[in-house]
């Protein structure tokens, strides 16, 4: 079958890239090219910004309820095609279709609906005293940029676009060139739903071409980015020259800390396993360092390995597959390189450690066995640097202080999970560890009203709830004398 040709969305219409060039898009499960995505450049970004500029005042002037109606309509269009989009997301990214159907696509719908409702419920601020009444306006910024990664494609793309649009901005958005398909589908649905032209523009292509053009464009007032820490640093420095507002969600090296008194029911143990290997470990929130109190270490390890070894790696289309394919050949090489480095650092591979061949249609796909490693010092590269694959290291600890020190012993600070029945301890440890998100006896349990983001090299700013609406607006205080 001929690869499908994707297009940009500019000014409410599908648009071919100005330069006429395209990038191959691969199906990770088969290693085959199945689509071509625009290899756009600064000319396409320029056209998108011009369209957004024309659309922004009218969009901002709409009553919030009207903007919300547009977002609800888009959410409804996604919902009506949930199964189809889940299959497309799975084909594009390698994730099991069951995961795309239960997490990725429902969350994209929830993002749009959540911010549609949030904008109609957002209370204003005013401060009064005997001399004056201060009213703080929260005005949209105008044209904003949204740049997202490949691991949760439509989920993270809509997580940015929804609050930006709800707050009254026009958007120029760039999905990852590795997984562009559902963003392309979103552009088709936006046209079908009658989204006003120019309000949402989607420009496909490479980071250093399209992404950088978005970040450097003087008419783009803010950039919301999710991706690697290295790209985030480049964006922060480019944006600083224009004093541009940026929100950065970056990498992680998250600890899951299991205390001896943890309630390790089968369900909880399954969650701990999922926290390491869900989406092939390609979630910024995955707990890739599993800290276990010494007194239960051997018993925990036996039960944990039993569960990890029963995970099924296979065709993402097969509902029985727990793990699918990794997103790309270069990413497989990176993860395999990290496993090799762990070996050289003296790590003992307890299970996995190799690429897997899945017979049949997936024979040339990019699969890696869930891998568990022990025996590494806390300060080695394996335990400090993000791997972003199905690789978990086990680290024993003796006391609370040591657990805190190990947890904090990395430059990252995105998310942690704590497993204990002692809630006073959970509170204490949560306060001492340097992470933006701490889950106690759970993992990835999300309430979209809460601030989402990391500290240290994991992030700058917060997404979610009111934080996202604040990011996409500028406060202006109007002081009216009595
Ligand atoms: P990446 O940084 O390579 O790319 C992210 C996006 O930035 C892509 O759209 C890419 O094209 C674009 N980009 C690349 N160079 C650019 C540049 N110079 N200027 C502007 N844009 C540019 O990241 P990735 O490999 O797609 O995603 C994996 C990373 O994302 C991991 O590090 C993961 O931890 C992180 N991530 C973080 C979160 C979070 O919420 N903190 C969520 C998901 C993923």
């Amino acid at each position: 079958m001929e690869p499908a040709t994707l297009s940009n969305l500019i000014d409410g219409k599908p648009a071919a890239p100005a330069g006429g060039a395209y990038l191959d898009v691969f199906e990770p499960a088969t290693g085959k090219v199945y689509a071509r995505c625009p290899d756009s450049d600064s000319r396409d970004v320029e056209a998108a910004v011009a369209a957004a500029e024309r659309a922004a005042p009218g969009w901002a002037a709409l009553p919030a309820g009207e903007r919300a109606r547009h977002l609800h309509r888009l959410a409804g269009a996604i919902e009506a095609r949930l199964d189809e989009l889940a299959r497309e997301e799975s084909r594009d990214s390698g994730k099991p279709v069951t995961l795309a159907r239960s997490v990725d696509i429902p969350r994209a719908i929830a993002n749009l609906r959540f911010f549609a409702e949030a904008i109609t419920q957002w209370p204003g601020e005013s401060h009064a005293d005997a001399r004056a009444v201060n009213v703080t306006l929260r005005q949209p910024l105008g044209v904003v940029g949204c740049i997202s990664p490949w691991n949760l494609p439509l989920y993270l793309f809509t997580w940015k676009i929804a609050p930006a649009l709800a707050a009254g901005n026009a958007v120029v958005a760039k999905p990852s060139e590795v997984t562009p398909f559902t963003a392309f589908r979103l552009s088709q649905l936006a046209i079908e739903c009658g989204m006003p032209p120019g309000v949402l523009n989607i420009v496909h292509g490479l980071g250093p071409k399209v992404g950088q053009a978005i970040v450097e464009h003087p008419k783009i007032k803010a950039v919301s980015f999710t991706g690697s820490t290295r790209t985030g640093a480049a964006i922060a420095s480019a944006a600083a020259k224009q004093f541009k507002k940026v929100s950065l969600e970056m990498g992680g090296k998250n600890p899951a800390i299991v205390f001896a008194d943890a309630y390790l029911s089968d369900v909880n143990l399954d969650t701990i396993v999922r926290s390491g290997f869900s989406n092939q470990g390609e979630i910024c929130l995955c707990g890739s360092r599993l800290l276990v109190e010494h007194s239960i270490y051997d018993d925990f390890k036996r039960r944990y390995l039993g569960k990890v070894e029963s995970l099924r790696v296979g065709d993402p289309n097969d509902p029985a597959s727990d793990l699918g394919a990794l997103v790309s050949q270069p990413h497989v090489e990176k993860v395999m390189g990290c496993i090799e480095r762990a070996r050289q650092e003296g790590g003992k591979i307890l299970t996995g450690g190799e690429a897997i061949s899945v017979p049949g249609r997936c024979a040339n796909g990019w699969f890696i066995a869930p891998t568990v490693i022990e025996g590494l010092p806390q300060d080695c590269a394996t335990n400090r640097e993000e791997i972003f694959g199905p690789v978990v290291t086990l680290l024993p600890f003796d006391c609370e202080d040591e657990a805190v020190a190990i947890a904090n012993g990395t430059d990252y600070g995105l998310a942690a999970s704590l497993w204990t029945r002692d809630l006073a301890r959970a509170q204490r440890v949560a306060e001492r560890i340097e992470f933006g998100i701490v889950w106690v006896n759970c993992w990835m349990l999300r309430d979209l009203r809460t601030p989402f983001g990391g500290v240290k090299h994991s992030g700058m700013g917060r997404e979610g709830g009111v934080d996202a609406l604040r990011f996409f607006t500028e406060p202006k205080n109007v002081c009216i004398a009595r």
Side-chain angles (χ1 to χ4, degrees):
M1 213 166 63
E2 269 297 292
T5 299
L6 315 189
S7 47
N8 293 326
L9 171 67
I10 297 178
D11 208 9
K13 293 185 282 295
Y22 288 84
L23 302 162
D24 285 341
V25 183
F26 294 86
E27 178 179 7
T30 62
K32 290 196 185 121
V33 174
Y34 83 95
R36 302 181 327 138
C37 119
D39 180 7
S40 313
D41 60 33
S42 57
R43 289 170 290 176
D44 303 290
V45 172
E46 199 57 59
V49 173
E53 269 211 293
R54 287 192 296 275
W59 180 248
L62 283 184
E66 273 298 297
R67 294 199 299 270
R69 212 168 49 77
H70 280 289
L71 294 182
H72 275 305
R73 204 182 291 158
L74 194 52
I78 297 175
E79 199 161 33
R81 291 161 186 83
L82 196 152
D83 280 340
E84 188 183 323
L85 284 161
R87 281 195 301 277
E88 289 165 347
E89 197 70 298
S90 163
R91 182 181 55 187
D92 207 26
S93 64
K95 70 179 70 211
V97 68
T98 46
L99 188 70
R101 193 180 293 122
S102 60
V103 176
D104 291 73
I105 308 304
R107 177 56 194 276
I109 298 163
N111 289 339
L112 290 159
R113 292 210 192 286
F114 173 82
F115 284 106
E117 280 160 21
I119 198 63
T120 63
Q121 308 291 323
W122 196 19
E125 297 159 57
S126 78
H127 300 86
D129 65 14
R131 303 159 305 161
V133 177
N134 289 274
V135 177
T136 309
L137 304 177
R138 292 254 167 206
Q139 296 176 307
L141 303 172
V143 181
V144 298
C146 298
I147 301 176
S148 61
W150 49 255
N151 63 324
L152 300 165
L154 194 63
Y155 173 136
L156 289 174
F157 201 52
T158 50
W159 181 231
K160 299 181 176 305
I161 289 170
L165 291 176
N169 302 284
V171 170
V172 177
K174 188 194 106 54
S176 169
E177 65 279 15
V178 184
T179 53
F181 201 84
T182 48
F184 163 65
R185 297 284 286 120
L186 186 73
S187 66
Q188 294 179 318
L189 296 178
I191 296 172
E192 188 184 303
C193 291
M195 185 71 84
V199 163
L200 173 62
N201 303 276
I202 299 176
V203 186
H204 293 273
L206 298 169
K209 277 160 86 176
V210 176
Q212 198 166 326
I214 290 174
V215 175
E216 290 176 351
H217 201 294
K219 298 268 171 60
I220 293 188
K221 300 299 174 201
V223 174
S224 173
F225 165 80
T226 299
S228 64
T229 297
R230 180 209 274 226
T231 305
I235 289 177
S237 79
K241 294 188 192 109
Q242 294 174 28
F243 304 103
K244 192 172 287 194
K245 217 173 174 185
V246 285
S247 160
L248 305 174
E249 296 294 341
M250 303 180 285
K253 186 73 185 174
N254 309 308
I257 309 178
V258 183
F259 289 97
D261 67 352
Y263 177 50
L264 291 173
S265 61
D266 251 11
V267 171
N268 283 354
L269 206 57
D270 283 339
T271 304
I272 295 173
V273 170
R274 217 164 35 84
S275 81
F277 298 104
S278 187
N279 203 42
Q280 303 74 244
E282 296 165 328
I283 303 183
C284 54
L285 305 167
C286 276
S288 54
R289 295 180 296 152
L290 184 45
L291 283 53
V292 183
E293 194 160 348
H294 235 134
S295 57
I296 59 160
Y297 186 84
D298 288 334
D299 188 45
F300 176 90
K301 182 169 93 178
R302 185 184 47 76
R303 288 182 65 202
Y304 178 75
L305 286 178
K307 286 199 179 281
V308 173
E309 281 164 0
S310 71
L311 291 172
R312 283 155 303 190
V313 181
D315 188 337
N317 287 343
D318 182 348
S321 297
D322 298 300
L323 277 76
L326 272 73
V327 77
S328 67
Q329 176 79 42
H331 193 55
V332 166
E333 283 161 17
K334 182 206 147 182
V335 173
M336 290 308 297
C338 291
I339 294 173
E340 186 46 39
R341 180 183 63 189
R343 278 198 183 94
Q344 284 164 12
E345 287 178 325
K348 179 174 171 204
I349 312 278
L350 298 173
T351 186
E354 76 249 323
I356 292 188
S357 171
V358 171
R361 93 176 183 101
C362 297
N364 295 319
W366 302 317
F367 298 86
I368 293 183
T371 300
V372 181
I373 306 172
E374 73 171 354
L376 286 166
Q378 65 160 86
D379 60 350
C380 66
T382 302
N383 276 327
R384 279 186 294 107
E385 290 172 19
E386 183 179 54
I387 297 174
F388 217 56
V391 182
V392 169
T393 55
L394 287 179
L395 291 137
F397 67 87
D398 282 316
C399 63
E400 202 174 297
D401 282 347
E402 193 188 1
V404 169
I406 297 174
N408 289 342
T410 160
D411 288 335
Y412 294 106
L414 186 54
S417 67
L418 309 179
W419 297 87
T420 174
R421 272 185 259 220
D422 179 347
L423 289 186
R425 184 202 336 246
Q427 189 75 40
R428 239 178 3 251
V429 174
E431 285 174 18
R432 292 178 65 198
I433 55 178
E434 298 158 346
F435 292 85
I437 300 159
V438 181
W439 280 293
V440 178
N441 298 326
C442 57
W443 175 73
M444 218 172 152
L445 194 58
R446 294 278 294 113
D447 181 327
L448 303 189
R449 294 168 298 184
T450 59
F452 178 91
V455 301
K456 293 157 77 176
H457 291 192
S458 289
M460 215 170 91
R462 292 291 182 275
E463 297 189 301
V466 169
D467 289 270
L469 296 178
R470 287 213 172 105
F471 175 76
F472 284 116
T473 52
E474 191 71 42
K476 180 188 285 173
N477 194 65
V478 181
C479 175
I480 307 166
R482 285 191 193 272

